[in-house]
């Protein structure tokens, strides 16, 4: 599904504040609601950078893909909170 940008911002605030020191590296592509562009992001510990990218191609599935590398990350909490960002 697509994510709501306000919910993702809240999730990122939680992620950087709570898991920041355990999160060594993250990167991903998000399908944001009401935007025809991919949103790409990357981060290291509590540093984060993200921006709209190229438009989704017509033959490309709008999907969310994220990779986290860290130590003792709260996997279930990460998953639960990002699922909560999906548009209902």
């Amino acid at each position: 599904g697509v994510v709501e940008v306000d919910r993702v911002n809240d999730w990122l605030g939680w992620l950087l504040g709570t898991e920041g020191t355990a999160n060594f590296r993250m990167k991903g592509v998000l399908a944001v609601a009401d935007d025809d562009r991919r949103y790409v992001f990357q981060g290291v510990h509590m540093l984060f950078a993200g921006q709209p990218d190229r438009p989704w191609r017509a033959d490309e599935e709008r999907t969310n893909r994220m990779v986290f590398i860290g130590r003792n990350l709260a996997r279930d909490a990460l998953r639960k909170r990002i699922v909560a960002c999906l548009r209902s």
Side-chain angles (χ1 to χ4, degrees):
V2 296
V3 295
E4 295 286 348
V5 72
D6 291 340
R7 294 179 194 171
V8 170
N9 284 334
D10 290 344
W11 172 75
L12 284 169
W14 168 82
L15 175 67
L16 297 174
T18 304
E19 298 291 316
T21 57
N23 185 26
F24 302 152
R25 179 93 167 95
M26 64 179 164
K27 64 191 233 177
V29 177
L30 298 176
V32 177
D34 304 321
D35 194 335
D36 65 347
R37 298 168 295 172
R38 300 171 349 141
Y39 185 84
V40 296
F41 70 89
Q42 63 179 333
V44 177
H45 293 290
M46 291 179 274
L47 301 175
F48 175 85
Q51 65 186 29
D53 191 37
R54 66 166 171 81
W56 292 94
R57 294 187 307 262
D59 64 340
E60 187 174 27
E61 180 182 1
R62 288 179 57 125
T63 187
N64 302 296
R65 295 182 190 266
M66 293 169 274
V67 176
F68 298 91
I69 300 169
R71 182 177 295 132
N72 299 320
L73 293 172
R75 183 183 186 127
D76 292 337
L78 283 170
R79 182 179 303 273
K80 180 180 176 182
R81 287 177 178 266
I82 193 62
V83 167
C85 295
L86 295 173
R87 178 177 270 182
S88 305

